[in-house]
Amino acid sequence: MNAEDSEKISNAAEIASATIATGAGIAIGGTAGALVGAAAAPVLTGALIALSAKVQNIRHQRTIEVLGEVARLLRVDEADLPHILASSERLLELTSRIIQAAQDASSAAKRSALSRALATAAADPDPARLDVCELLQTAIADIDAPHVRFMYVIEDAENLPEALDLAPDSNHYGLSLQQVFRRDPGLQESGPSILQKLHSLGLIESCARGISSTADRDKPYALSNLGRRLLRLLREDGELS
């Protein structure tokens, strides 16, 4: 860590300490509160400097991990990767978003999926592929383990054919929330909010044959094409297909 980085971390710690100290003074009130806050600040500063340094190191390591994986998937030297990722403004913007999302992701599976999404975009950065990779980046960043768990539960649910006249009435399409809960009772409490999030991200689609009056909890759902692609990114371990 250079002197400039150390100064930035120290300044951030000082600001955080001052904020906490001010809060302590307000909570206790009067002169006594101010003294308590002022006395606490120097102690907190040292702890916050150490914490900030650890957080910065973790985020730095996650960035190295993701970019190293992208270089491996593309089969290029890491020294050549910046030139590839900066070949277009849109690809560079996606790179920035993926790095930020990876830094925030404690899940190794999410970081791997983000790496694969970026490598896919960099391998062939045409507008259509970038559209999909941008959607995937947003979805990966916004979902957590319960959402992935829900997606695995409905993975084998059949999608409604685009041509409804090719959908026999005898066939069952999608799964309702109640059917999901029977497969995984642990999802019951959070199921409705999970469903709303997945639907808003375009990762699942309704199989209700156009019935709009049915409540969301009663409609059958299946993974969308985007959802199935996201699960593949979370699973894959190897070279780009």
Side-chain angles (χ1 to χ4, degrees):
M1 184 183 297
N2 58 37
E4 183 179 353
D5 290 336
S6 298
E7 183 180 358
K8 289 179 180 178
I9 292 175
S10 180
N11 289 341
E14 291 286 356
I15 293 170
S17 298
T19 303
I20 295 171
T22 303
I26 293 172
I28 297 174
T31 305
L35 291 173
V36 169
V43 177
L44 290 171
T45 299
L48 287 173
I49 288 173
L51 179 61
S52 296
K54 185 171 184 178
V55 169
Q56 290 289 342
N57 183 60
I58 289 172
R59 296 177 72 83
H60 179 65
Q61 291 301 320
R62 288 175 180 173
T63 300
I64 293 174
E65 173 192 332
V66 166
L67 293 180
E69 179 68 2
V70 172
R72 185 190 71 80
L73 290 167
L74 293 175
R75 300 180 182 180
V76 300
D77 191 277
E78 290 184 5
D80 297 326
L81 189 61
H83 175 72
I84 295 171
L85 297 178
S87 60
S88 76
E89 186 174 342
R90 191 173 175 189
L91 180 58
L92 185 59
E93 172 63 22
L94 177 62
T95 300
S96 175
R97 289 166 55 185
I98 283 181
I99 288 175
Q100 183 173 348
Q103 289 179 341
D104 292 336
S106 60
S107 166
K110 286 181 66 169
R111 296 196 299 274
S112 178
L114 288 165
S115 299
R116 297 191 67 82
L118 181 54
T120 298
D124 184 13
D126 69 273
R129 179 168 288 199
L130 283 170
D131 287 344
V132 173
C133 290
E134 286 169 355
L135 291 173
L136 286 168
Q137 178 273 318
T138 298
I140 295 167
D142 282 359
I143 63 174
D144 294 304
H147 303 98
V148 177
R149 181 173 161 188
F150 189 105
M151 293 172 69
Y152 280 135
V153 171
I154 69 168
E155 184 178 12
D156 64 347
E158 188 176 353
N159 296 77
L160 190 67
E162 292 185 13
L164 292 181
D165 57 339
L166 299 179
D169 292 336
S170 58
N171 282 23
H172 178 79
Y173 300 97
L175 290 176
S176 68
L177 271 182
Q178 291 305 315
Q179 291 171 317
V180 169
F181 299 156
R182 283 197 288 272
R183 291 186 173 195
D184 188 342
L187 289 171
Q188 189 156 357
E189 184 174 354
S190 56
S193 63
I194 291 175
L195 185 146
Q196 290 177 11
K197 169 62 78 173
L198 293 176
H199 195 259
S200 70
L201 292 170
L203 299 176
I204 60 174
E205 60 188 25
S206 172
C207 299
R209 296 175 183 263
I211 301 173
S212 58
S213 59
T214 305
D216 286 345
R217 66 178 180 275
D218 298 323
K219 289 180 181 178
Y221 288 89
L223 291 179
S224 65
N225 289 335
L226 187 70
R228 296 185 188 280
R229 185 161 186 170
L230 189 149
L231 280 190
R232 287 198 298 272
L233 287 179
L234 288 169
R235 281 195 177 113
E236 286 176 337
D237 182 20
E239 307 304 320
L240 288 179
S241 57

